[in-house]
Amino acid sequence: DGFIASVFHKKCKEMGPTLIIIKSEYFKIFGGYTDIDWKSNGGNKSGKKNSFLFSLRDDKSLVKLKCLKKKYEFYHNKFTLC
């Protein structure tokens, strides 16, 4: 449905566990999972440490990406998708 934050939040806000799969305009596939409800605001959030990001490589291997800020799982903001 595109990369518009307001559309994402309208569909995913407070919907519970979420698996996001994204296909870029360059046909790269990546995404993430969280068991924390999405909110439009609230800043940094942590939960049970089940959230993760991934990338599907051209050779079809799946890579779990490392979190740079291990204290938080993601950031709530109505203007972004992170």
Side-chain angles (χ1 to χ4, degrees):
D1 293 333
F3 288 97
I4 300 170
S6 61
V7 173
F8 173 84
H9 285 284
K10 186 175 182 178
K11 292 184 175 200
C12 297
K13 184 177 174 184
E14 299 180 9
M15 295 296 288
T18 309
L19 174 64
I20 306 294
I21 300 173
I22 300 167
K23 184 175 184 180
S24 77
E25 62 185 293
Y26 302 105
F27 305 102
K28 301 298 181 185
I29 298 174
F30 55 96
Y33 168 81
T34 185
D35 57 353
I36 301 171
D37 281 349
W38 289 93
K39 308 277 185 191
S40 294
N41 56 38
N44 295 314
K45 294 293 175 188
S46 291
K48 298 176 184 174
K49 304 293 184 203
N50 293 325
S51 300
F52 63 90
L53 298 174
F54 67 87
S55 177
L56 183 62
R57 293 186 175 175
D58 292 337
D59 68 0
K60 306 293 186 235
S61 62
L62 188 66
V63 178
K64 185 176 175 184
L65 304 173
K66 292 185 179 184
C67 178
L68 298 176
K69 294 185 177 183
K70 295 181 181 184
K71 187 175 180 181
Y72 304 110
E73 291 184 57
F74 65 86
Y75 182 78
H76 289 294
N77 183 310
K78 67 180 177 180
F79 300 112
T80 64
L81 298 177
C82 57

